[in-house]
């Protein structure tokens, strides 16, 4: 891509002051607040989403800390008995027609493992402990921290034990939605082996394509597979025992597992505050880091790749989740160097734009379709955290400027065109607003 073509366009919004940017972000978070939680966007996502809540809490910690604590309390109130935190907690006041697949499809009310609320039965990356460390630093609330600490630790146990499907000590995701990177090329090889039943989609009505541009969203074939995989997990009672023999999608995602490892580091810090033993958290964190490097790092590409647990094969695709392990503080220096080199190369290129979700040089790089090219602020924020954790201040500063420039010009969009920097998707997206606040404070 010709970098010089994007720069003039990006300058167009340079006049927006930091103060105005902050106020705009606060307005998005206020408008998206609903009783006891924040919705990701009023148009497309009218419920309470799992990893969104973590990123949103980072921003709320600056803007309205009581709401940050309340948002996570409400999410974790829907934690299942086994420790899983559902990827969506449905708002009972929102019509079934407003989001598909909704509560009727997931049928969680019939599941003995569910404690409260109408939810899905799948999870998302456990970013919440990272957020709680920041909330504690800015607005400590001991009662809330103690309540959350137990539940955060329970979430970790669920993921590290019950989801250790491959047996090496990494968590498997059982659905692309669990990664948060729904239609990333990371899953193409695994999904390609699952038959598509487009007839099944006739039974259902996709709501996303009515609200959003269908050129941006996953295709119908992708969606048919998503529904089939979710139905298979649901029909097995959302149980994890024996998945290897009966479930078609089992993947070790480097982004998901890096967040899982980073969460153990955060829990070690929080354990010290609540008087628990931090050592087991640090040991688990070190184990996840080691295993990730041993199992999912490919020295030939210099980055991490997802693995199909059923075949043992690594995905050849170079996707942004392969850079996310940078957030692990105990990553070996040569791996850090290699990830920073990959993130700075023409494939991803930090600055003048942030990092796209997929290798720019790949033949199937797609500027518009969700996680197959566009820029997302949440994963870039994770990379920013990682760069700073490893003392890569110069790259961190460039990335921070690139993110702020994008939002200053395009608004608090859900994602951004990786060529022009234009904002696309929902225009008032909560995590973009929340993380903008964090970037503005620079801490
Ligand atoms: C399915 C809410 C969620 C994010 C995901 C993003 C998108 C949902 C969808 O929106 O996924 O969970 O309907 O496409 O990919 O990361 O959590 O913002």
């Amino acid at each position: 891509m010709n970098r010089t073509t994007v720069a003039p366009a990006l300058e167009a919004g340079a006049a927006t002051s930091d103060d105005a940017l902050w106020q705009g972000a606060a307005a998005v978070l206020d408008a998206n607040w609903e009783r006891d939680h924040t919705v990701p966007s009023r148009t497309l996502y009218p419920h309470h989403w799992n990893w969104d809540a973590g990123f949103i809490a980072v921003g709320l910690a600056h803007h309205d800390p009581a709401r940050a604590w309340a948002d996570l309390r409400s999410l974790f109130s829907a934690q299942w008995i086994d420790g899983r935190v559902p990827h969506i907690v449905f708002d009972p006041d929102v019509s079934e027609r407003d989001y598909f697949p909704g509560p009727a499809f997931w049928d969680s009310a019939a599941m003995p493992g569910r404690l409260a609320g109408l939810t899905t039965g799948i999870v998302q990356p456990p970013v919440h402990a990272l957020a709680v460390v920041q909330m504690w630093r800015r607005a400590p609330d001991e009662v809330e921290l103690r309540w959350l600490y137990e539940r955060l630790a329970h979430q970790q146990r669920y993921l590290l034990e019950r989801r250790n499907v491959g047996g090496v000590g990494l968590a498997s995701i059982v659905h692309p939605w669990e990664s948060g990177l729904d239609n990333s090329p990371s899953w193409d090889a695994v999904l390609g082996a699952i038959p598509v039943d487009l007839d099944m989609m006739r039974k259902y009505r996709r709501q996303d394509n009515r609200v959003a541009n269908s050129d941006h969203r996953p295709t119908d074939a992708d969606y048919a597979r998503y529904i089939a995989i979710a139905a298979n997990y649901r029909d097995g009672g959302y149980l994890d025992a024996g998945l290897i023999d009966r479930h078609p999608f089992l993947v070790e995602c480097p982004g998901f597992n890096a967040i899982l490892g980073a969460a153990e580091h955060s829990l070690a810090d929080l354990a010290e505050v609540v008087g628990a033993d931090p050592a087991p958290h640090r040991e688990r964190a070190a184990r996840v880091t080691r295993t990730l490097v041993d199992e999912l790092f490919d020295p030939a590409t210099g980055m991490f790749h997802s693995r199909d647990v059923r075949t043992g094969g690594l995905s050849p695709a170079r996707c942004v989740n392969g850079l996310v392990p940078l957030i692990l503080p105990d990553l070996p220096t040569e791996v850090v160097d290699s990830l920073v080199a990959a993130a700075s190369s023409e494939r991803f290129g930090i600055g003048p734009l942030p990092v796209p979700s997929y290798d720019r040089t790949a033949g199937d790089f797609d500027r518009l379709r969700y996680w197959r090219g566009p820029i997302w602020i949440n994963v870039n924020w994770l990379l920013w955290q990682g760069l700073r954790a490893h003392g890569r201040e110069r790259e961190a500063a460039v990335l921070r400027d690139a993110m702020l420039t994008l939002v200053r010009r395009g608004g608090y969009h859900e994602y951004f065109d990786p060529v022009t920097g234009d904002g696309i998707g929902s225009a008032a997206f909560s995590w973009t607003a929340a993380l903008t606040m964090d970037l503005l404070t620079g801490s």
Side-chain angles (χ1 to χ4, degrees):
M1 153 205 163
N2 177 359
R3 300 265 175 104
T4 54
T5 56
V6 294
L10 286 173
E11 275 160 18
T16 311
S17 69
D18 284 0
D19 190 44
L21 202 57
W22 180 280
Q23 296 308 331
V28 169
L29 290 180
D30 291 350
N32 288 350
W33 178 253
E34 186 65 48
R35 280 190 320 277
D36 58 357
H37 66 275
T38 313
V39 296
S41 118
R42 289 269 168 205
T43 46
L44 196 50
Y45 308 115
H47 300 287
H48 197 185
W49 252 265
N50 175 322
W51 81 327
D52 297 61
F55 295 119
I56 291 164
V58 169
L60 284 177
H62 296 282
H63 170 53
D64 188 341
R67 250 160 59 195
W69 292 107
D71 204 312
L72 290 190
R73 179 178 271 265
S74 123
L75 179 73
F76 277 80
S77 297
Q79 183 170 36
W80 286 30
I81 290 167
D82 60 13
R84 85 183 71 194
V85 179
H87 115 283
I88 305 174
V89 182
F90 293 107
D91 180 340
D93 293 340
V94 171
S95 156
E96 182 77 34
R97 283 197 307 272
D98 285 346
Y99 184 78
F100 174 77
F105 172 87
W106 294 96
D107 199 22
S108 67
M111 302 297 157
R114 180 200 66 126
L115 262 181
L118 290 176
T119 73
T120 65
I122 59 171
V123 300
Q124 268 190 327
V127 289
H128 321 92
L130 281 65
V132 172
V133 167
Q134 302 216 17
M135 287 151 64
W136 177 257
R137 218 183 284 144
R138 290 177 208 294
D141 183 323
E142 205 173 324
V143 174
E144 291 302 314
L145 176 65
R146 286 184 183 283
W147 188 89
L148 271 171
Y149 172 79
E150 296 301 329
R151 287 159 178 83
L152 290 165
H154 195 25
Q155 167 169 245
Q156 295 291 115
R157 281 193 297 275
Y158 169 73
L159 295 172
L160 283 166
E161 292 167 17
R162 299 206 187 200
R163 287 300 190 85
N164 181 14
V165 180
V168 297
L170 297 175
S172 285
I173 54 169
V174 303
H175 196 289
W177 287 332
E178 291 202 314
S179 68
L181 280 55
D182 305 2
N183 61 338
S184 165
S186 291
W187 333 125
D188 285 359
V190 188
L191 290 178
I194 301 175
V196 185
D197 177 6
L198 281 173
D199 274 354
M200 185 185 56
M201 289 309 290
R202 289 198 192 102
K203 258 182 31 202
Y204 300 112
R205 177 185 281 183
R206 283 180 69 173
Q207 175 62 16
D208 58 325
N209 277 344
R210 296 154 61 87
V211 181
N213 185 333
S214 57
D215 291 343
H216 298 189
R217 297 282 304 172
T219 61
D220 264 357
D222 282 339
Y223 236 79
R225 290 187 175 109
Y226 296 162
I227 296 304
I229 298 166
N232 186 66
Y233 192 45
R234 176 199 64 198
D235 296 346
Y238 298 115
L239 297 175
D240 297 313
L243 278 179
I244 194 80
D245 302 316
R246 59 183 167 84
H247 197 63
F249 187 95
L250 293 166
V251 173
E252 289 161 350
C253 166
F256 189 107
N257 280 285
I259 291 168
L260 186 63
E264 287 292 350
H265 283 290
S266 298
L267 280 166
D269 295 346
L270 298 173
E272 285 175 16
V273 181
V274 301
D277 183 3
H281 293 299
R282 297 252 182 253
E283 282 156 23
R284 281 193 289 271
R287 223 167 20 242
V288 169
T289 302
R290 256 195 328 271
T291 313
L292 259 174
V293 173
D294 290 348
E295 304 286 336
L296 304 188
F297 183 70
D298 182 354
T301 62
M303 53 187 295
F304 290 81
H305 294 257
S306 63
R307 177 162 68 189
D308 180 346
V309 175
R310 293 163 60 90
T311 64
L314 285 188
S315 155
R318 299 175 207 235
C319 305
V320 71
N321 53 349
L323 301 174
V324 170
L326 205 51
I327 56 168
L328 291 164
D330 42 1
L331 207 59
T333 315
E334 63 279 13
V335 178
V336 172
D337 291 345
S338 168
L339 290 182
V340 175
S344 311
S345 74
E346 60 166 354
R347 295 181 191 279
F348 292 97
I350 302 178
L353 290 163
V355 167
S357 44
Y358 184 35
D359 177 357
R360 289 181 185 283
T361 67
D364 55 349
F365 176 77
D366 186 330
R367 281 167 62 175
L368 296 180
R369 209 175 284 281
Y370 242 42
W371 294 93
R372 306 185 71 89
I375 296 167
W376 295 73
I377 293 296
N378 64 333
V379 283
N380 275 280
W381 180 85
L382 289 171
L383 296 180
W384 177 63
Q385 297 281 327
L387 288 168
R388 292 190 312 159
H390 294 289
R392 307 302 289 249
E393 298 300 338
R394 193 180 56 78
E395 291 90 348
V398 173
L399 184 55
R400 173 178 176 270
D401 281 356
M403 285 190 272
L404 284 174
T405 304
L406 205 61
V407 178
R408 223 184 275 285
R409 178 189 156 239
Y412 312 91
H413 273 270
E414 186 179 359
Y415 45 99
F416 297 84
D417 183 320
V419 175
T420 62
D422 288 343
I424 39 186
S426 160
F429 197 65
S430 296
W431 80 38
T432 306
L435 298 176
T436 296
M437 288 183 150
D438 196 57
L439 290 167
L440 283 169
T441 69
S443 58

